[in-house]
Amino acid sequence: MAESERRAGNSEEMAPPLQQSFMIPRKEINMVSDMGKWKRSQAYADYMGFILTLNEGVKGRKLTCEYNVSEPIEKLVALLNTLDRWIDETPPVDQPSRFGNKAFRTWYAKLDQEAENLVATVIPKHLADAAPEVAVYLKESVGNSTRIDYGTGHEAAFAAFLCCLCKIGVLRVDDQMAIVFKVFNRYLEVMRKLQKTYRMEPAGSQGVWGLDDFQFLPFIWGSSQLIDHPNLEPRHFVDEKVVNENHKDFMFLECILFITEMKTGPFAEHSNQLWNISAVPSWSKVNQGLIRMYKAEVKTPRDVAVLGENAEAAGKSNRNLG
């Protein structure tokens, strides 16, 4: 482990206990009229500030670039590796229905039982009381076990999970790139494996009128990665050769590759919104447009409306991400 990583890890363990209390998140958004309350809340400011801070942090950077990897980041990757291993240990069952394999419920039941223990491996001992609260966001981030579906609300719950870890000081300002490139990218890999293994339905999909059946944030952060790229322009992401040659460097292109693997037919027909985006002249405009679209169209994670009400001693919004 590098000296800087050791220092980061030690500072986590040696930090004095914060004067704060934690609570199990509860559902606050029950009807359309509650969305106004959500958008006026400190939680919304915290969440969107977190998304935009990371958006700026990965601007012009490749997935394969060098960045700091702290001990909490490594522990988060280990957590996701555990979820991945459980998929291998829980194969799909034979059933009449092609979609929504019921083995996902068995897999989810294990996460439901172990989530607090998993979170406890990531946070330092003086923050142990935070585990039950933070674990709720982790459980919400992998899909719905009743409907066996997954969508952007579940993705947002994982972003809220990471935001919580920032608010209580587990993740720090120099973790920005690692949060997106190492942790969130690994999360995407595990979610794609879940979607394929258990043939999960897209939750709240808008079909050809939506950006993607399952994800949104990797398109935002992925377009930021490509801002001012000397060769790749938005029009290039519909070129199969360009995607195959560059997807390991750019999250946006990795998303395009997954879509083409999962869907058949002309790209312009099954992913019309993305096809239209390919006509935008610059990645900067793509990025700005996607952020506006995200604010307007993506549903909130089920419990995220309580995010800013707890851990107030952590300070102002995104203190630990600068």
Side-chain angles (χ1 to χ4, degrees), residues 65-129:
C65 74
E66 292 186 4
Y67 49 83
N68 177 68
V69 179
S70 65
E71 185 176 349
I73 292 291
E74 293 286 15
K75 288 178 178 179
L76 282 166
V77 173
L79 182 158
L80 292 167
N81 289 343
T82 297
L83 301 188
D84 191 316
R85 188 183 76 249
W86 289 350
I87 300 173
D88 296 332
E89 295 170 356
T90 316
V93 297
D94 292 330
Q95 62 180 44
S97 175
R98 180 183 176 192
F99 292 96
N101 194 278
K102 293 178 181 179
F104 174 73
R105 292 173 180 160
T106 304
W107 180 90
Y108 183 88
K110 192 163 190 176
L111 173 61
D112 190 41
Q113 182 178 1
E114 296 294 330
E116 288 185 27
N117 292 332
L118 289 172
V119 170
T121 67
V122 175
I123 62 179
K125 291 180 180 179
H126 73 271
L127 289 172
D129 289 347

Side-chain angles (χ1 to χ4, degrees), residues 48-304:
M48 286 309 305
F50 177 72
I51 298 303
L52 296 176
T53 297
L54 294 178
N55 185 65
E56 189 63 27
V58 301
K59 183 177 178 180
R61 304 294 189 113
K62 294 182 178 180
L63 286 169
T64 50
C65 74
E66 292 186 4
Y67 49 83
N68 177 68
V69 179
S70 65
E71 185 176 349
I73 292 291
E74 293 286 15
K75 288 178 178 179
L76 282 166
V77 173
L79 182 158
L80 292 167
N81 289 343
T82 297
L83 301 188
D84 191 316
R85 188 183 76 249
W86 289 350
I87 300 173
D88 296 332
E89 295 170 356
T90 316
V93 297
D94 292 330
Q95 62 180 44
S97 175
R98 180 183 176 192
F99 292 96
N101 194 278
K102 293 178 181 179
F104 174 73
R105 292 173 180 160
T106 304
W107 180 90
Y108 183 88
K110 192 163 190 176
L111 173 61
D112 190 41
Q113 182 178 1
E114 296 294 330
E116 288 185 27
N117 292 332
L118 289 172
V119 170
T121 67
V122 175
I123 62 179
K125 291 180 180 179
H126 73 271
L127 289 172
D129 289 347
E133 178 177 334
V134 177
V136 172
Y137 297 102
L138 177 63
K139 289 189 288 186
E140 287 287 327
S141 73
V142 299
N144 183 280
S145 61
T146 301
R147 299 187 302 268
I148 313 181
D149 64 8
Y150 175 94
T152 53
H154 301 108
E155 174 193 76
F158 190 75
F161 167 69
L162 296 174
C163 185
C164 286
L165 294 177
C166 291
K167 284 184 69 65
I168 62 176
V170 174
L171 297 174
R172 305 296 179 111
V173 64
D174 58 353
D175 289 319
Q176 286 185 45
M177 279 194 287
I179 288 171
V180 178
F181 291 168
K182 198 164 183 70
V183 177
F184 192 83
N185 201 50
R186 182 69 181 118
Y187 164 76
L188 289 176
E189 292 172 351
V190 177
M191 293 306 102
R192 287 166 181 152
K193 187 172 179 177
L194 277 178
Q195 292 154 24
K196 289 192 290 186
T197 302
Y198 303 121
R199 301 302 300 269
M200 299 179 76
E201 297 275 12
S205 172
Q206 299 178 42
V208 296
W209 305 111
L211 185 70
D212 180 70
D213 282 343
F214 297 111
Q215 313 295 160
F216 203 117
L217 289 175
F219 291 96
I220 293 177
W221 294 331
S223 60
S224 181
Q225 285 184 271
L226 285 157
I227 290 175
D228 295 329
H229 192 283
N231 302 313
L232 297 180
E233 300 173 14
R235 63 188 175 89
H236 290 129
F237 76 74
V238 294
D239 185 321
E240 183 179 354
K241 183 173 183 293
V242 171
V243 172
N244 288 335
E245 290 178 352
N246 296 278
H247 69 92
K248 291 183 179 179
D249 285 327
F250 300 104
M251 193 174 283
F252 194 105
L253 301 184
E254 190 71 42
C255 289
I256 300 299
L257 181 65
F258 184 69
I259 289 171
T260 57
E261 289 175 352
M262 298 295 288
K263 295 187 175 184
T264 58
F267 190 90
E269 292 182 9
H270 64 62
S271 299
N272 186 257
Q273 284 276 37
L274 285 167
W275 178 262
N276 291 336
I277 287 172
S278 71
V280 177
S282 72
W283 286 110
S284 179
K285 289 187 178 299
V286 169
N287 186 247
Q288 293 166 15
L290 288 174
I291 290 170
R292 288 195 299 270
M293 187 176 175
Y294 188 73
K295 289 179 177 180
E297 296 187 15
V298 173
K299 298 290 189 296
T300 62
R302 191 180 73 180
D303 298 302
V304 78

